[in-house]
Amino acid sequence: MNENKHRHFIQRIIDEDNVTGKFDNRVQTRFPPEPNGHLHIGHAKAICLDFGIAKEYGGKCNLRFDDTNPIAEEEEYVDAIQEDVHWLGFEWDKLCFASDYFQQMHDYAVQLINQGDAYVCDLSADDIRQTRGTLKKPGKDSPFRKRSIEENVDLFKRMKNGEFPDGSRTLRARIDMAHPNLNMRDPVIYRIMHATHHNTGNNWCIYPMYDWAHGLEDSIENITHSLCTTEFEDHRPIYDWFLDRLDVYHPQQIEFARLNLSYTLMSKRKLKDLVNGGYVNGWDDPRMPTLSGMRRRGYVPRSIRKFMDEVGIAKRENVMEIAKLEAILRDELNKCAERRMAVLNPLKIIITNFDENNVEELDAINNPEDESAGSRKVPFSRELYIEQDDFMENPPKKFFRLAPGREVRLRYAYFITCNEVIKNEQDNIIELHCTYDPATKGGSAPDGRKVKATIHWVSANDSMNAEVRLYDRLFSVPNPATSKNFEDVINPDSLNILNECRLEPSLSKVEIGEHIQFERLGYFYKDPDSTTEKPVFNRTVPLRNTWAKLEKQQQSQNN
Ligand code: ATP
Ligand code: MG
């Protein structure tokens, strides 16, 4: 194992447990999502930790659906979450549902009642809240706190049998209404809810509360280290109290800091509002920080895992830069993405000295980072498209690309010179007339003359039409979570759809799942909205490495 100083605090706790033999040197973790929405990049941190720890110690990790609230949960999410965990690259030991333990949880509750540790309370949710006290003021005992064990057993049974309406009664733990930790002031452990559950149907009309259920789920599954985020730190006493009172197997809860990411909302509820409010086109919209959205956008799962390694595990929360994640993504894509040429905003050029019946097949390298990717042929003909941006009729000083009278290199092809700009009656440029120099085939001139720019292109008649979707940040502020209103912070230009893009012919063979670099434009990923006539590509991320720039700036500031 690594040196101690490189190990995070959870690894050190487990190392220590393995020395003392606390859990018989077993490591069993779980990832416990509530199936009330799709997983987001924040969950990926917990997934990488839960599954990563299990793997590191030769242990096991369960995928457990914490499905104790029938109102919010749906089968659709159960399926999507499994797909997302698999996509991230993890395999669970057991697939578990908290709802499979409803009977056991109920029986444990009866045990608590029989021990005098729980009572049926007739206060409303409001009354319970009002009698709970504050951090400074103790709470008030419920008038039902002294009910006899017999009466509690009977009432709880009748709650379970459906004799009482929603909200009329609860089962509460009898702990201490003056406890300094508010979570310990006789917390509710069961509520009445006549609702159909995705797994148990109408079998139950009482449902367990999180604090009661979670520790039991961990105990039933023989979890050793129950890893959760720091907002549960104040819940650990109640987690421990229940397991101690029941005298059952007792896992250890350990809290770590949640992931926060700049420009990113990270709450299922808020993401659901984005979907329902029509701000995005569904949970898997490529602008969403959901794993399904990131997958559709073209993220490689390894980049997310690597990012989580860099984020690390600690107790203190901070905000990570999304640019950092994108920089790691670029690195990964650079290695695996084959290069192709595509023109997003086409401008036609005519090579006036190239025979119109001729098509030349030129060699193009697929990936300079990976020799085994080989090469392909790209057709070159009299009519080509280049990017509108790569031409200026009156170029400023620092513009080195095509301009009247100027010579540039066409990638993998020849030097061309622009001789004439053809305009329509509205004075808009419709095409350029150029000549090519046949001696510059492959991109260099025998006489040694240089050009200052290389631009990409496609052959007009051989290219295919495509739709390309360019994305920008969904939010225009670094911390959208602090804003009440999406309208105030949403970026109106987060999606730019280009419909008249032209692709080199080899791109007709790309399948969904292949990552491609469009030279000079970025990394792209084919979208499921594609048809055979018209493919649709999402830009995963542009090429420019803003993170490297940011870091450089920071470094120079520090010096
Ligand atoms: P949300 O508020 O988005 O619904 P949650 O915590 O309620 O998140 P759960 O489905 O209960 O969602 O979470 C499953 C696991 O993922 C929990 O262990 C939770 O702590 C962890 N998790 C959720 N968000 C983050 C985050 N931003 N960073 C790290 N872990 C997270
Ligand atoms: Mg939640």
Side-chain angles (χ1 to χ4, degrees):
M1 255 165 228
N2 300 337
E3 263 178 79
N4 209 26
K5 66 176 177 186
H6 296 305
R7 300 180 65 67
H8 59 67
F9 77 98
I10 295 179
Q11 290 168 322
R12 290 191 212 181
I13 290 173
I14 298 175
D15 290 345
E16 179 66 26
D17 289 345
N18 285 346
V19 169
T20 62
K22 181 172 176 187
F23 293 108
D24 301 325
N25 290 32
R26 236 169 19 92
V27 172
Q28 168 76 63
T29 58
R30 84 288 172 267
F31 171 63
E34 189 185 348
N36 61 348
H38 283 240
L39 297 182
H40 51 64
I41 180 81
H43 292 108
K45 177 173 181 181
I47 294 172
C48 289
L49 178 66
D50 291 323
F51 285 90
I53 282 283
K55 189 169 176 207
E56 177 184 345
Y57 287 91
K60 289 174 174 164
C61 182
N62 293 344
L63 173 59
R64 178 205 307 148
F65 288 100
D66 207 345
D67 56 349
T68 54
N69 178 7
I71 304 288
E73 295 155 7
E74 286 171 36
E75 198 69 40
E76 172 206 334
Y77 300 134
V78 168
D79 297 336
I81 287 171
Q82 292 182 55
E83 192 182 348
D84 289 347
V85 173
H86 269 146
W87 175 72
L88 251 195
F90 297 102
E91 192 55 62
W92 47 87
D93 180 43
K94 291 200 192 83
L95 182 66
C96 305
F97 292 86
S99 55
D100 285 342
Y101 316 138
F102 279 169
Q103 184 63 44
Q104 262 165 297
M105 290 178 187
H106 164 270
D107 296 349
Y108 280 132
V110 173
Q111 181 187 334
L112 274 195
I113 295 171
N114 280 315
Q115 291 174 189
D117 286 329
Y119 60 96
V120 173
C121 182
D122 302 358
L123 292 181
S124 67
D126 258 358
D127 289 338
I128 290 180
R129 211 172 300 122
Q130 273 163 24
T131 51
R132 204 168 167 229
T134 63
L135 284 174
K136 292 196 184 118
K137 219 175 71 195
K140 272 205 224 89
D141 282 3
S142 160
F144 307 98
R145 203 169 194 266
K146 293 204 179 79
R147 267 182 170 148
S148 71
I149 289 176
E150 292 69 37
E151 191 183 359
N152 282 322
V153 168
D154 175 63
L155 283 173
F156 187 54
K157 190 189 228 166
R158 289 166 60 194
M159 275 170 68
K160 174 182 175 261
N161 290 344
E163 287 187 30
F164 309 122
D166 286 4
S168 60
R169 287 191 161 92
T170 57
L171 183 71
R172 296 175 72 179
R174 183 187 274 123
I175 307 179
D176 178 1
M177 286 307 291
H179 200 286
N181 182 335
L182 270 68
N183 295 317
M184 298 293 274
R185 294 184 187 170
D186 291 11
V188 171
I189 60 183
Y190 269 98
R191 56 183 164 165
I192 301 173
M193 213 195 284
H194 293 263
T196 304
H197 186 281
H198 79 99
N199 186 24
T200 57
N202 293 320
N203 292 354
W204 295 89
C205 64
I206 53 170
Y207 288 95
M209 303 301 286
Y210 176 90
D211 281 332
W212 168 246
H214 204 84
L216 293 179
E217 295 158 20
D218 285 345
S219 178
I220 291 166
E221 289 175 22
N222 266 309
I223 301 302
T224 56
H225 303 87
S226 175
L227 313 178
C228 61
T229 36
T230 46
E231 68 267 28
F232 293 104
E233 199 157 3
D234 288 346
H235 296 248
R236 181 157 24 100
I238 183 74
Y239 181 103
D240 291 335
W241 191 90
F242 285 134
L243 296 179
D244 285 342
R245 285 292 154 147
L246 294 168
D247 195 22
V248 292
Y249 169 76
H250 196 145
Q252 180 180 358
Q253 174 179 308
I254 306 171
E255 309 85 17
F256 63 95
R258 56 194 296 123
L259 173 74
N260 301 302
L261 203 55
S262 62
Y263 296 96
T264 308
L265 264 190
M266 230 159 338
S267 138
K268 278 188 239 129
R269 186 179 54 75
K270 287 187 178 165
L271 295 177
K272 190 181 260 174
D273 289 345
L274 279 175
V275 173
N276 292 340
Y279 296 98
V280 293
N281 304 314
W283 283 98
D284 69 346
D285 185 302
R287 290 167 292 181
M288 289 282 272
T290 51
L291 297 182
S292 50
M294 295 170 83
R295 176 165 65 237
R296 185 166 176 181
R297 175 124 167 200
Y299 269 78
V300 278
R302 183 208 287 271
S303 64
I304 298 175
R305 297 197 301 265
K306 278 199 162 172
F307 176 66
M308 296 309 164
D309 284 344
E310 300 230 349
V311 168
I313 298 296
K315 280 267 186 199
R316 271 265 298 280
E317 263 189 51
N318 60 359
V319 181
M320 294 299 295
E321 288 296 335
I322 185 136
K324 171 95 185 164
L325 172 60
E326 289 169 348
I328 294 174
L329 173 63
R330 273 191 202 96
D331 274 355
E332 289 302 317
L333 290 171
N334 184 37
K335 287 180 233 160
C336 71
E338 292 201 356
R339 275 56 167 171
R340 294 290 183 272
M341 290 199 286
V343 173
L344 302 189
N345 295 295
L347 169 62
K348 185 172 268 187
I349 66 172
I350 311 288
I351 309 292
T352 51
N353 59 341
F354 194 90
D355 178 359
E356 70 179 306
N357 297 316
N358 190 11
V359 177
E360 221 181 302
E361 297 286 340
L362 302 172
D363 278 321
I365 294 166
N366 285 335
N367 187 351
E369 303 290 321
D370 175 11
E371 223 174 286
S372 71
S375 64
R376 67 188 186 284
K377 298 285 184 192
V378 188
F380 182 87
S381 63
R382 181 180 163 91
E383 292 191 14
L384 310 175
Y385 289 116
I386 62 167
E387 215 61 75
Q388 285 171 20
D389 281 356
D390 282 335
F391 173 79
M392 281 186 94
E393 197 174 8
N394 300 300
K397 231 177 158 188
K398 287 202 167 154
F399 186 89
F400 299 116
R401 289 165 277 162
L402 200 61
R406 169 128 7 119
E407 187 169 49
V408 299
R409 178 189 295 108
L410 292 183
R411 183 85 165 132
Y412 304 117
Y414 297 96
F415 288 7
I416 58 163
T417 303
C418 175
N419 305 308
E420 202 180 342
V421 180
I422 312 294
K423 295 184 177 175
N424 62 13
E425 278 151 21
Q426 289 82 45
D427 210 31
N428 295 320
I429 299 171
I430 48 169
E431 62 184 42
L432 308 177
H433 287 183
C434 304
T435 47
Y436 84 118
D437 177 357
T440 58
K441 183 167 180 174
S444 58
D447 63 6
R449 80 180 184 278
K450 301 278 183 236
V451 288
K452 282 201 170 143
T454 303
I455 64 176
H456 63 273
W457 54 277
V458 297
S459 165
N461 290 327
D462 304 288
S463 63
M464 73 183 299
N465 180 222
E467 176 177 318
V468 169
R469 299 174 184 169
L470 303 179
Y471 301 101
D472 196 354
R473 308 234 182 282
L474 187 52
F475 296 102
S476 45
V477 296
N479 189 356
T482 55
S483 159
K484 285 202 189 77
N485 217 329
F486 288 144
E487 263 84 12
D488 301 338
V489 290
I490 208 131
N491 172 7
D493 304 315
S494 61
L495 171 60
N496 181 9
I497 299 178
L498 302 172
N499 259 310
E500 301 300 328
C501 308
R502 307 298 308 186
L503 311 180
E504 69 164 78
S506 71
L507 281 168
S508 66
K509 295 191 209 85
V510 171
E511 307 272 351
I512 293 174
E514 276 178 71
H515 303 273
I516 300 287
Q517 183 192 107
F518 290 174
E519 295 212 28
R520 299 178 64 226
L521 299 172
Y523 294 99
F524 290 78
Y525 196 66
K526 193 168 174 177
D527 192 87
D529 285 349
S530 298
T531 61
T532 29
E533 297 77 48
K534 190 165 187 178
V536 177
F537 281 89
N538 296 313
R539 179 154 69 184
T540 310
V541 66
L543 289 180
R544 192 162 43 95
N545 194 338
T546 48
W547 173 249
K549 255 196 187 163
L550 249 169
E551 264 186 332
K552 245 191 213 151
Q553 268 172 16
Q554 265 169 3
Q555 269 167 14
S556 62
Q557 274 165 13
N558 292 343
N559 288 341

